[in-house]
Amino acid sequence: MAPGRQGEEGAGGSCSSGVVVVPPEQMDPRPLFQAVDALCEDNICHFGESASDVGSRLVQAFSRIQEQAQGIEPALRALAAVCPLFDLDPDTPANGYRSLLKVVLSCTQHILHKCRYVTASRRSLFFRAAHNCSELEAYGAALTQLRALLCFAQRLLTANCHGDLFFRQEHGLSEEFLREYSTMHKGCFYGRCMGFQFTPSIRPFLQTISIGLVSFGENYKRHESGISVAASSFFISGRYAIDPEFRGAEFERITQNLDVNFWKAFWNITETELLSSLVGIASTNVRINKCLSVPPEPLEMPLSSDPQRTVTITPPVAHSGPGPVHMRLISYQLREGQESEELNALMKNEVSLSLDLRLRSRPASLSPDLIIHFHGGGFVAQTSKSHEPYLKSWAQELGAPILSVDYSLAPEAPFPRALEECFYAYCWALRNCRLLGSTAERVCLAGDSAGGNLCITVCLRAASVGIRMPDGIMVAYPATLLQATASPSRLLTLMDPLLPLSVLSKCLSAYAGTDGVPVEDRMLERQSTVSQVKKGTAMFLRDIRQGATSWLSSLMDGGKEKMSPETVRKSVSEAALLEESSTNRKVSLKSKTYQDLSLHQQSIQLGFQNQQTEANNYNCPYEKNQLPLPSLSLQTGPGVRVPLSPCNPQSQDVNFFLTESESENETSEHSYEKKHPTHSKENIPSTHSHEDKPSSIPVSHSLEFPEGFEPLRSQNGSANMTLQTSAIVNNPYMSPLLAPDSMLQGLPPVHIVACALDPMLDDSVMFAKRLRSLSRPVTLKVVEDLPHGFLSLSQLSRETREATAVCVERIRQILREEAPAPPPPAPRKHRKLERTLGKITTVTEREIGA
């Protein structure tokens, strides 16, 4: 299925394993749910006559599916009637409500396919009753949780402003969603149902990632080198591969409990020299792939309004003082300046196994184009090395040099360090473009996820300083609102294997500098392969012996007796968590960096005195917590400098972070001790009516569900999450969606490529809406059935290659000066649809759960 949208072309027409995906707005869900109901009733009657345990489980599974489907169908019809009101325009039918509808229908269609298979095969001698029962139990649990999300989506519909996808208030629904998420069962989405909503070609990769994640989590903190973790993880990964329920329970517990340093270590596996070199061999060969280290020296940049005057750009200083900025230059052709002594003096040594067998030729002329790239990774992980494969392809297809910035990562370097380094790198690239093999006649900023956020904020800073702006921005699935704010697409974090809400919350807190996670004692820098072998050889041999022994023991024990859920949860990673809490580690130096920022306020000043009204109109309390800009001065003549800002630096209170007492928002963590009946194989909580619920269930759940319905609760306790209340997240240089109109009006053309099933979809839709309302050139392309981060999977499948081609085409439009198409005329008001919306806003919780 083509990833791009052409009207509704990209949304439907996928058929795999008998599952046909139809766009929600083109189908009536009633026949689908009627078919599921009839098949469930037939199978209940058939297996009700069986006296076996598996037969009893099948009856319970079909009964659960039948009950939840009957409650979901009216909610789907109600939501489908109003979701078009939240689209950017009729040609871009995409928003979080549509995504939630698609996920629910996809789950229901998988269930329909499974019900048909059971009905047709239940009398066969080869019918695997236990396996199919576990499949139905998993999808029944998933359908139960999706019904809870539909209830919450209805609450958002009635609480949000017309056309707004985000809940703008600091408290209320966002707190309720966090509280519900922290206790809801999620393991069903990480086991047998892993990635059911994505294209089939992606699912094996997601399953492999999940197995690697739980294996890595079990050995995290138990070993001193990555080679030891890999050795032990290899021997224990088998049980996670053959037991999806065990894998789902471990995946849920890891995402809820381990801190951001774990995710930093796991995501940086792709940064190891051995793995990255092997990937580099299979990727496009380029002539230039140099790592640069630019010293922190002030730069003189001409003003765009008057090139005779210059402004001084100071090096990055936040949190750790002046330091070099690391970059990577990639060019498919050798061009003038790329082998110069001046550029070679900035090179860093890097070991690479890739070979370029092409004959050396004379350097080509300077390219008129230059691409500056900021990588993703949640602001906490990865470098340009992880993104090399698709960057090399871009360099070949676009014929332009690419400069990718390796900015400092949180939690060691929180906001605004990354922004300062990216802005400095942008200015350095413009000033030294000939060293990069370009004349920089056309400059494009490109980035994905966190890098997309940095692309936008770098442009905001360039506009505020008054230097040259890039000719355009291409951002893929960007994060434009760095708050734990409820929206329909962010409801998908309950099931997304790559972006669980608890992980997003940890990354946000780390970037904001309010996480409170101590920095690890061990070296966070990448180690060479040789040093890893030296430190890990002894542990490698030890882990082979211990891992093999535990693996064989688990197989022998599994043959004697089945593991109970309690035994499953008592894994080695749980001991690692206890060990982590008791280990003395070096305390973060953030308290010192706050003082450094206060002392440095005399050189980092620029106010926003005339933007109070616009900020109030968009709930943007950023004036009190402005990002420090570099000290700026105009050079009007030899030896004559005029300050740009007449403000007295001593009168400006640079306060980027609240104190811990202000930023910490107490949330109650409830331990659900209700003992759900479990099966020998399935570890999914069962559903209880209100009459059956024990009194131990806390009454603090202010989100009222329909009568007789309660979502499944996690058996791993509640996730440790708090609502981010620090004012730093309202800073427009951190959350550009909250920037006032006067700042957004200075942006160049913006091209956004988003994913329909991405929890960050609403960030893209709402940001495009804001730019469209200001008559700024903007395009939004939404690709279907792919997860967040598809650029890093560009060679994995046909769908990811086509989605990557969309990004390349957007960059080509910028470099070829192809202006975005004008926005379509506003559609006529649909009176019948408006009357429907008025009715929907009065729908009661009883109707949603009927």
Side-chain angles (χ1 to χ4, degrees):
M1 178 170 51
R5 280 184 183 265
Q6 299 294 334
E8 301 299 335
E9 181 180 352
S14 175
C15 181
S16 176
S17 303
V19 179
V20 180
V21 179
V22 183
E25 57 275 8
Q26 294 185 4
M27 70 171 291
D28 182 0
R30 284 174 289 190
L32 172 65
F33 286 92
Q34 289 172 359
V36 170
D37 183 80
L39 288 171
C40 287
E41 188 66 32
D42 179 55
N43 282 289
I44 289 173
C45 295
H46 174 80
F47 291 105
E49 301 174 356
S50 174
S52 64
D53 293 339
V54 176
S56 176
R57 289 173 56 195
L58 282 168
V59 170
Q60 294 180 17
F62 282 112
S63 299
R64 168 184 281 178
I65 292 173
Q66 187 179 44
E67 177 186 358
Q68 303 308 325
Q70 292 173 356
I72 284 177
E73 188 270 332
L76 278 183
R77 288 189 288 111
L79 203 58
V82 296
C83 64
L85 298 177
F86 298 89
D87 295 333
L88 174 64
D89 54 56
D91 295 330
T92 314
N95 60 71
Y97 293 113
R98 288 184 183 271
S99 301
L100 185 58
L101 289 176
K102 181 179 175 116
V103 169
V104 175
L105 288 175
S106 177
C107 181
T108 308
Q109 288 164 339
H110 277 82
I111 291 175
L112 176 63
H113 172 68
K114 179 57 64 176
C115 290
R116 286 174 174 171
Y117 174 80
V118 172
T119 303
S121 307
R122 62 195 180 192
R123 299 183 185 278
S124 171
L125 293 176
F126 302 100
F127 177 66
R128 297 187 297 166
H131 169 77
N132 287 279
C133 179
S134 297
E135 292 274 337
L136 290 168
E137 288 172 337
Y139 276 101
L143 199 64
T144 303
Q145 304 305 79
L146 289 174
R147 182 181 176 186
L149 295 186
L150 285 175
C151 294
F152 201 88
Q154 173 62 24
R155 291 285 306 277
L156 286 174
L157 271 176
T158 57
N160 287 351
C161 299
H162 178 71
D164 199 344
L165 292 169
F166 287 103
F167 184 75
R168 295 293 179 179
Q169 301 177 17
E170 292 187 359
H171 305 285
L173 281 180
S174 296
E175 288 181 332
E176 293 181 22
F177 177 52
L178 284 179
R179 183 162 52 247
E180 288 292 331
Y181 175 92
S182 65
T183 60
M184 287 179 65
H185 171 67
K186 314 168 195 67
C188 58
F189 295 111
Y190 304 141
R192 297 181 184 272
C193 303
M194 169 68 75
F196 71 90
Q197 68 270 37
F198 300 119
T199 182
S201 59
I202 295 292
R203 294 172 197 162
F205 167 78
L206 295 177
Q207 292 174 355
T208 303
I209 289 295
S210 65
I211 293 173
L213 175 68
V214 294
S215 301
F216 188 86
E218 184 158 340
N219 294 277
Y220 180 64
K221 296 286 189 183
R222 298 179 61 231
H223 307 281
E224 296 182 2
S225 67
I227 217 169
S228 301
V229 176
S232 184
S233 300
F234 174 78
F235 285 103
I236 67 173
S237 60
R239 55 177 171 173
Y240 294 119
I242 64 178
D243 193 341
E245 284 72 37
F246 187 21
R247 181 174 72 239
E250 285 292 288
F251 196 106
E252 176 185 356
R253 192 178 49 75
I254 286 175
T255 56
Q256 290 190 170
N257 294 297
L258 291 179
D259 59 30
V260 70
N261 287 316
F262 165 78
W263 299 100
K264 190 183 188 79
F266 179 73
W267 289 336
N268 281 339
I269 290 178
T270 56
E271 297 290 320
T272 58
E273 292 177 359
L274 180 61
L275 182 59
S276 61
S277 297
L278 292 176
V279 174
I281 294 176
S283 60
T284 303
N285 287 328
V286 295
R287 279 294 178 86
I288 298 297
N289 187 357
K290 296 183 176 181
C291 288
L292 309 177
S293 179
V294 178
E297 300 174 350
L299 301 175
E300 297 292 333
M301 299 294 297
L303 293 176
S304 58
S305 59
D306 186 0
Q308 300 300 323
R309 308 171 105 187
T310 62
V311 57
T312 302
I313 307 298
T314 58
V317 295
H319 299 288
S320 57
V325 178
H326 304 291
M327 315 173 194
R328 181 183 297 274
L329 175 62
I330 298 176
S331 179
Y332 183 71
Q333 289 181 296
L334 174 62
R335 297 186 178 273
E336 295 179 7
Q338 294 177 343
E339 290 287 357
S340 62
E341 294 182 0
E342 186 177 355
L343 185 67
N344 290 335
L346 303 176
M347 281 185 56
K348 296 190 306 180
N349 294 328
E350 185 181 37
V351 179
S352 177
L353 300 181
S354 60
L355 299 176
D356 187 1
L357 301 179
R358 293 178 294 176
L359 297 177
R360 293 189 62 85
S361 59
R362 296 181 58 184
S365 59
L366 297 175
S367 171
D369 306 325
L370 178 62
I371 302 172
I372 302 176
H373 172 262
F374 306 131
H375 66 81
F379 301 102
V380 301
Q382 297 189 335
T383 65
S384 59
K385 180 174 286 190
S386 305
H387 299 254
E388 262 190 50
Y390 71 82
L391 289 178
K392 290 179 178 180
S393 299
W394 287 7
Q396 179 185 17
E397 296 179 41
L398 298 170
I402 300 177
L403 184 68
S404 184
V405 182
D406 290 331
Y407 52 87
S408 298
L409 302 173
E412 294 79 22
F415 177 84
R417 182 73 187 198
L419 175 56
E420 287 186 354
E421 293 186 359
C422 290
F423 178 66
Y424 183 84
Y426 169 74
C427 296
W428 183 89
L430 294 181
R431 186 173 177 82
N432 300 274
C433 58
R434 292 186 174 272
L435 297 180
L436 306 177
S438 171
T439 59
E441 296 175 23
R442 303 287 298 176
V443 178
C444 172
L445 292 189
D448 66 307
S449 190
N453 175 286
L454 292 170
C455 286
I456 299 171
T457 53
V458 163
C459 288
L460 293 178
R461 289 197 63 173
S464 65
V465 172
I467 64 174
R468 173 189 172 179
M469 298 285 287
D471 296 281
I473 308 173
M474 194 291 297
V475 289
Y477 37 88
T480 62
L481 183 62
L482 301 187
Q483 298 178 351
T485 303
S487 83
S489 72
R490 295 191 178 188
L491 298 179
L492 301 180
T493 55
L494 186 76
M495 70 201 72
D496 195 289
L498 300 178
L499 286 179
L501 181 59
S502 55
V503 179
L504 283 176
S505 176
K506 292 178 176 67
C507 294
L508 168 60
S509 298
Y511 185 53
T514 59
D515 58 329
V517 177
V519 181
E520 294 181 304
D521 285 338
R522 61 185 182 183
M523 291 287 292
L524 294 175
E525 292 81 4
R526 292 165 293 170
Q527 299 178 350
S528 66
T529 306
V530 176
S531 63
Q532 288 187 16
V533 171
K534 287 182 178 179
K535 294 181 179 180
T537 302
M539 295 183 180
F540 177 76
L541 298 176
R542 182 197 64 185
D543 291 330
I544 289 179
R545 183 178 65 256
Q546 294 181 352
T549 301
S550 62
W551 183 52
L552 293 174
S553 299
S554 63
L555 290 179
M556 296 176 64
D557 294 340
K560 296 178 181 179
E561 57 180 0
K562 294 184 178 292
M563 291 185 295
S564 65
E566 289 296 326
T567 306
V568 167
R569 290 196 296 272
K570 299 294 185 182
S571 63
V572 181
S573 55
E574 192 171 63
L577 288 173
L578 298 177
E579 179 184 351
E580 176 187 358
S581 62
S582 61
T583 303
N584 294 325
R585 295 184 295 177
K586 185 169 58 179
V587 179
S588 173
L589 299 179
K590 289 190 177 66
S591 59
K592 292 186 178 181
T593 61
Y594 301 156
Q595 299 173 6
D596 295 339
L597 284 173
S598 300
L599 293 176
H600 194 69
Q601 60 183 346
Q602 296 183 1
S603 62
I604 43 178
Q605 53 180 345
L606 190 61
F608 295 88
Q609 294 89 352
N610 300 324
Q611 297 169 348
Q612 177 70 32
T613 303
E614 295 171 351
N616 293 336
N617 291 339
Y618 209 75
N619 297 329
C620 179
Y622 64 94
E623 289 83 354
K624 298 179 181 179
N625 297 277
Q626 272 306 323
L627 171 71
L629 294 179
S631 58
L632 310 176
S633 61
L634 294 180
Q635 183 172 346
T636 59
V640 180
R641 291 185 179 273
V642 180
L644 282 181
S645 175
C647 301
N648 182 6
Q650 295 181 357
S651 64
Q652 297 180 4
D653 183 17
V654 181
N655 180 22
F656 302 128
F657 304 96
L658 297 180
T659 62
E660 293 191 9
S661 60
E662 292 173 320
S663 62
E664 291 182 358
N665 183 25
E666 296 183 359
T667 56
S668 56
E669 299 179 1
H670 303 285
S671 176
Y672 286 83
E673 299 177 353
K674 177 169 60 174
K675 297 181 179 179
H676 302 282
T678 55
H679 307 294
S680 59
K681 181 71 177 172
E682 185 67 38
N683 188 23
I684 295 178
S686 60
T687 308
H688 295 273
S689 65
H690 285 288
E691 292 77 13
D692 297 332
K693 287 190 300 180
S695 58
S696 60
I697 294 294
V699 296
S700 62
H701 295 291
S702 54
L703 178 58
E704 296 180 0
F705 293 103
E707 183 179 359
F709 171 73
E710 179 72 20
L712 306 179
R713 299 298 174 185
S714 173
Q715 295 182 347
N716 291 318
S718 60
N720 184 17
M721 294 190 305
T722 58
L723 184 65
Q724 185 58 253
T725 58
S726 173
I728 192 68
V729 297
N730 295 325
N731 192 306
Y733 289 104
M734 187 173 185
S735 298
L737 182 60
L738 301 180
D741 294 347
S742 58
M743 294 180 68
L744 296 180
Q745 285 174 345
L747 288 178
V750 179
H751 299 269
I752 305 174
V753 181
C755 306
L757 300 179
D758 183 9
M760 311 303 291
L761 171 64
D762 290 340
D763 292 55
S764 299
V765 175
M766 291 304 300
F767 192 71
K769 281 187 175 183
R770 286 216 60 199
L771 295 179
R772 182 72 57 84
S773 67
L774 298 173
S775 300
R776 299 304 303 161
V778 59
T779 64
L780 174 62
K781 185 73 172 181
V782 181
V783 297
E784 296 289 339
D785 301 329
L786 292 179
H788 185 94
F790 65 78
L791 280 177
S792 299
L793 313 176
S794 57
Q795 300 303 317
L796 189 63
S797 66
R798 175 180 59 86
E799 291 84 358
T800 55
R801 288 191 294 270
E802 292 175 348
T804 304
V806 173
C807 298
V808 174
E809 183 59 31
R810 291 296 185 265
I811 297 176
R812 185 176 286 112
Q813 291 180 14
I814 296 172
L815 299 179
R816 299 295 174 265
E817 299 188 74
E818 299 178 13
R828 293 187 306 168
K829 293 185 177 180
H830 198 308
R831 295 186 176 180
K832 183 177 180 180
L833 192 58
E834 290 182 348
R835 291 196 300 269
T836 304
L837 177 61
K839 294 179 181 179
I840 294 302
T841 56
T842 60
V843 172
T844 63
E845 300 292 346
R846 181 184 60 80
E847 292 173 322
I848 290 297

